[in-house]
Amino acid sequence: MALWKITVRTSTNAPCKNKRQKLEKGMFVETSTMSSSKPLGQVREHPMLAQLFMSKYGIEIEPRSMNLSYFTCDKIG
């Protein structure tokens, strides 16, 4: 099991389902995974990451836009 911190790389407009919402640099969520692979590199993890941003910030991000061009992924545990 690994702990990950997913952080917004730069301030940008988030690709959302209904409209574009502002992502600010430094926004982050934390999650755990059963594998040691980065969750941003696993398409099956993207809906869960998008849901974490929705829960924490109220920003509805398209799961298909969860990639390393918008976010950094750091192992914290």
Side-chain angles (χ1 to χ4, degrees), residues 1-55:
M1 182 176 271
L3 287 173
W4 299 94
K5 181 177 180 181
I6 313 303
T7 307
V8 176
R9 186 182 296 267
T10 58
S11 296
T12 186
N13 289 322
C16 302
K17 292 181 180 177
N18 298 324
K19 60 184 176 193
R20 295 179 92 58
Q21 297 178 345
K22 188 74 170 171
L23 283 174
E24 294 293 338
K25 181 179 180 178
M27 288 179 164
F28 71 93
V29 294
E30 296 174 344
T31 188
S32 61
T33 59
M34 293 304 292
S35 72
S36 60
S37 300
K38 291 182 178 184
L40 284 177
Q42 300 177 25
V43 175
R44 69 177 183 272
E45 300 285 349
H46 294 184
M48 180 264 308
L49 296 174
Q51 182 59 44
L52 288 172
F53 274 93
M54 179 63 172
S55 297

Side-chain angles (χ1 to χ4, degrees), residues 50-64:
Q51 182 59 44
L52 288 172
F53 274 93
M54 179 63 172
S55 297
K56 187 169 183 178
Y57 298 106
I59 297 174
E60 192 174 354
I61 301 171
E62 278 287 336
R64 68 175 181 253

